[in-house]
Amino acid sequence: MNNHRTTARETTAVQVHIPTPYPTAAPAPVMPVQPNAVPAVASVVLPDGRVVTGYAIEPTRPEPVAAKPAVSCTAVNVAIGGAGFLAVCGGLVLLTSFIAALTAFISQLIILAAVIFGGWIAVQLFSTRGHQGGTTVNIRKAVIKRNHFHS
């Protein structure tokens, strides 16, 4: 008798995945960079008489920083723009007050013309109201001679 039990592990086949490598790109050729000036060769004689020759290494110097002006160009531009804006606003205030004064003057002229014309019309209406028709002539002791009146 076989006491050996079969499990799910034993019955499945083991699959091995082997990763496929990506092809490597060839590195770009490095071009030698020529220095601006050939560095000086220095030779040092050691106390035991040996001579060591090599290039002198100069410490790197930081780039000189350009001197900044005392006032930023942006600040100057903002200040000039603000002065221009204030000048325009002042001109607009003057223009607005001029238009308001001109409007008040024209409205006063219209009111004055209406008062004068209305008064003239009122005088015309009220002066003729007492007479109901034609011209009234009072004739007293008039002598009529040849169609002429003589008083």
Side-chain angles (χ1 to χ4, degrees), residues 3-26:
N3 287 340
H4 181 65
R5 286 197 241 154
T6 313
T7 61
R9 259 191 198 162
E10 293 174 349
T11 57
T12 21
V14 177
Q15 295 179 357
V16 177
H17 294 284
I18 300 173
T20 306
Y22 290 113
T24 58

Side-chain angles (χ1 to χ4, degrees), residues 76-149:
V76 171
N77 290 339
V78 169
I80 291 173
F85 181 73
L86 287 176
V88 168
C89 287
L92 288 177
V93 167
L94 289 176
L95 182 65
T96 305
S97 60
F98 173 75
I99 290 173
L102 186 64
T103 304
F105 178 70
I106 290 173
S107 63
Q108 287 177 355
L109 284 179
I110 291 171
I111 291 171
L112 180 65
V115 167
I116 291 174
F117 186 68
W120 182 76
I121 290 177
V123 167
Q124 295 300 320
L125 287 177
F126 292 129
S127 67
T128 60
R129 189 170 268 203
H131 305 285
Q132 293 297 326
T135 303
T136 305
V137 178
N138 294 323
I139 301 176
R140 291 184 189 166
K141 300 180 184 177
V143 177
I144 299 174
K145 254 189 195 178
R146 294 186 195 155
N147 295 328
H148 288 288
F149 286 13

Side-chain angles (χ1 to χ4, degrees), residues 1-69:
M1 287 218 143
N2 191 358
N3 287 340
H4 181 65
R5 286 197 241 154
T6 313
T7 61
R9 259 191 198 162
E10 293 174 349
T11 57
T12 21
V14 177
Q15 295 179 357
V16 177
H17 294 284
I18 300 173
T20 306
Y22 290 113
T24 58
V30 178
M31 299 297 291
V33 177
Q34 295 295 329
N36 292 341
V38 177
V41 177
S43 297
V44 177
V45 179
L46 297 176
D48 60 358
R50 292 182 295 168
V51 177
V52 179
T53 304
Y55 293 108
I57 299 174
E58 294 181 15
T60 58
R61 295 184 185 132
E63 292 289 327
V65 178
K68 289 187 176 182

